[in-house]
Amino acid sequence: MSESNSVVVVGAGLAGLYAAKLLQPQFKDVLVLEATNRPGGRVRQVAGAAPWPVEAGPQFIHGANSSLKEMLDEMQCGIQQYDWPDWWYFGKERRFMRAPAEDQDLNRTHELFADVGNEKYPETDISAEQWLRNKGASSKVLAIADACYANDFGCTLHQLGLREMITENRKWDSGEDYLVLDCPLSDLVKHIAKDLNRQIHCNCPVSRIEHDSNGALIRLYGGRQIRCKHVLVTVPITVLQREEITFVPPLPQLKQQAIQRVKMSNAIKVIMMFAQPFWPEGFFDVVCTDSFIPEFWVTPPPTYSHQHEKQPDSCRDASQSSASRCGPQAGSSQQAAAQDAGTEARQEHKQNLQQGQTLQPQQQQSWQQPQVQQHDSQQQQHDTQQQQQQEAVYCMVGFVAGSKAEEISKLRQNSVVIKTLSQLDDMFCKSCMWHGTFLVTLLLLLQLVWTQQAQSSSCIQLHQPSFMLT
């Protein structure tokens, strides 16, 4: 026997949660199905790299006009607004400059990308690299475009399509500044989800969607069925590309072609802790051309949690009254090392079906906001601030995306560390701001975190408690 809802949203990432939040006033029984054991999608933190959880996925809000800004204001979240980038490092020249930098090639690159919306859509798409070469771009312009624009798109220059550049230029209306929050992005997830609560069902991977003019029948691995008038699919594009969800009848040909055309690249974050800051006062972000890591930024610890939680997200059996943990804790190294939890869940359920087993009802759980006393939260906040002051550590994150990220992921851990710190040494020691020997000391752990845009992440921990370059 199948259940019945007016609207079902498949996927509890930010897109799915926000859609459900908008739909709920009109459709009180809106249901959100999430394949993994928590809502939030790619929003997740890594514990152990710093005295506070560090964002392994998205970290900033792009643009003061973003649709998320209103919710951040509702949360009374502290926001710092930065120009991006505020520094440049030209690797071949060993030149470190504050933005806006007076450089002819840099100005030319900005002009080309600012005016790309005036280009006509090519009948056959070409890469940004080919487009720039057609414009007579110099090798330095290509290097700037790769490190700044392509890396910000989450790819390398030869992977970035001209059609996408034109569309983004014409449609982007959120603004260019970066908004840095004083709270973890998981607080934003909880804020959006707080009114949905038991309407978010975790550990519920969808296997099949049968749809017609009367509505849809959603089949989950394990046999559960849900009928609805409308279904909204917000899963990662890679889930659709791998055809992990079967549509009956198949999606229109144009949609299938669009699904296969959209590409998602890999990205790597190198998270480093230092005993003292060696960068200029007020420094936020630097884009680096012709370098091992094309971008670095400093990340302050969250001031506090706006949701007053002591515990991370929890899942709960809908048939029970007391909360129970399910899966590893959010932010643990086990979770950070998990490879695409949704895919794993689907594979596990496929195996169970092949063996004649079914998913037990108590395994399909509804997510609930953790309930803790505010006094405990305030005490934890005080203790955390004291710990951070005592340890006095400073966090810097390196970011690289696209094919270069895939190349770096194949290197040995020590090689990544040495190359990254060597680049920082060249940037900050050999610039005109510094003289003499520059000593970089890595405290605690250094974690190399790479995040697949298809909602998976991995983590390699270095066991050396410190690492030095001179």
Side-chain angles (χ1 to χ4, degrees), residues 207-381:
S207 64
R208 183 182 175 98
I209 298 176
E210 301 171 10
H211 56 99
D212 56 30
S213 58
N214 296 320
L217 174 64
I218 301 174
R219 299 182 185 271
L220 279 62
Y221 288 102
R224 181 180 173 188
Q225 300 181 16
I226 304 170
R227 291 192 177 276
C228 59
K229 291 291 185 181
H230 309 279
V231 57
L232 182 62
V233 180
T234 67
V235 299
I237 191 70
T238 47
V239 171
L240 299 178
Q241 289 172 343
R242 294 192 295 261
E243 298 182 351
E244 295 180 12
I245 298 177
T246 301
F247 293 88
V248 181
L251 294 175
Q253 192 65 27
L254 285 178
K255 283 193 175 182
Q256 293 186 47
Q257 292 173 357
I259 288 170
Q260 295 305 320
R261 282 181 58 84
V262 175
K263 303 300 181 184
M264 296 293 283
S265 299
N266 294 333
I268 285 176
K269 276 187 173 181
V270 182
I271 302 170
M272 298 163 285
M273 303 303 302
F274 296 95
Q276 58 185 6
F278 50 84
W279 43 84
E281 185 177 355
F283 170 89
F284 164 60
D285 180 280
V286 57
V287 168
C288 315
T289 68
D290 299 303
S291 301
F292 181 66
I293 301 292
E295 184 177 9
F296 291 98
W297 62 75
V298 292
T299 177
T303 304
Y304 59 91
S305 170
H306 294 265
Q307 298 297 321
H308 301 296
E309 286 112 30
K310 185 175 181 180
Q311 299 288 345
D313 297 353
S314 58
C315 293
R316 162 173 163 163
D317 188 331
S319 64
Q320 297 177 353
S321 59
S322 60
S324 61
R325 301 297 303 168
C326 72
Q329 293 185 0
S332 66
S333 59
Q334 295 98 324
Q335 180 173 351
Q339 294 289 328
D340 196 344
T343 300
E344 288 183 348
R346 292 184 181 90
Q347 292 174 346
E348 177 184 350
H349 299 325
K350 284 181 179 179
Q351 293 174 358
N352 289 342
L353 289 175
Q354 291 172 355
Q355 297 169 3
Q357 303 174 14
T358 60
L359 184 66
Q360 299 302 314
Q362 63 267 25
Q363 293 177 267
Q364 298 180 349
Q365 298 160 318
S366 60
W367 180 83
Q368 283 208 326
Q369 295 276 11
Q371 301 296 324
V372 297
Q373 294 183 357
Q374 185 171 343
H375 173 76
D376 292 340
S377 178
Q378 292 173 340
Q379 182 63 43
Q380 184 191 31
Q381 175 188 334

Side-chain angles (χ1 to χ4, degrees), residues 80-88 96-99 178 180 277-286 296-300 394-396 428 433-434:
Q80 286 185 291
Q81 194 164 320
Y82 292 93
D83 293 333
W84 178 86
D86 58 348
W87 289 84
W88 288 89
F96 190 73
M97 300 177 62
R98 183 187 291 273
Y178 274 35
V180 180
F278 50 84
W279 43 84
E281 185 177 355
F283 170 89
F284 164 60
D285 180 280
V286 57
F296 291 98
W297 62 75
V298 292
T299 177
Y394 300 84
C395 182
M396 176 176 277
F428 293 99
M433 301 177 304
W434 290 80

Side-chain angles (χ1 to χ4, degrees), residues 111-136:
E111 289 172 0
L112 286 167
F113 276 82
D115 295 338
V116 70
N118 297 325
E119 298 279 335
K120 293 182 179 180
Y121 280 106
E123 292 184 9
T124 302
D125 202 7
I126 62 174
S127 70
E129 180 180 14
Q130 185 59 54
W131 172 71
L132 288 171
R133 292 188 185 279
N134 294 345
K135 293 286 186 179

